[in-house]
Amino acid sequence: MPSVIIYIGAALAEIAGCFAFWAWLRMARSPLWLIPGCALLVAFAYLLTRVDTADAGRAYAAYGGIYITAALLWMWLAEGVRPDRWDLGGASLCLAGAAVIFFGPHRV
């Protein structure tokens, strides 16, 4: 599976899993929200191990840009808060940094 697709899946799993905990603690939802929340966080951790790189730190660093972008999309689509120009500019910078880390000619 291509790494970008894995990163997107990991971001969705992490955000949804964390949101389940948020809903339980901050929105007074049922503790049953923790069951899918925990499962999604396990899926997130598993997916990051599937990225095609020998170095965990590099995989996590490149993932950061994808996570930030996915978090802003979640904010917009799930929470109804539209990202402003500062959100979009910051996400663009993060994606550019992630691309440099991911596609750079690293020493092996």
Side-chain angles (χ1 to χ4, degrees), residues 12-24:
L12 292 175
E14 182 180 12
I15 292 166
C18 289
F19 184 77
F21 277 79
W22 179 277
W24 169 58

Side-chain angles (χ1 to χ4, degrees), residues 24 29-37:
W24 169 58
R29 300 292 165 91
S30 165
L32 294 175
W33 278 64
L34 298 177
I35 296 168

Side-chain angles (χ1 to χ4, degrees), residues 2-63:
S3 294
V4 173
I5 293 171
I6 294 171
Y7 278 138
I8 292 169
L12 292 175
E14 182 180 12
I15 292 166
C18 289
F19 184 77
F21 277 79
W22 179 277
W24 169 58
L25 286 173
R26 303 282 304 265
M27 300 169 72
R29 300 292 165 91
S30 165
L32 294 175
W33 278 64
L34 298 177
I35 296 168
C38 288
L40 285 162
L41 291 173
V42 168
F44 150 70
Y46 173 77
L47 284 169
L48 276 187
T49 68
R50 308 289 48 161
V51 174
D52 188 23
T53 184
D55 306 303
R58 188 167 288 132
Y60 303 155
Y63 166 72

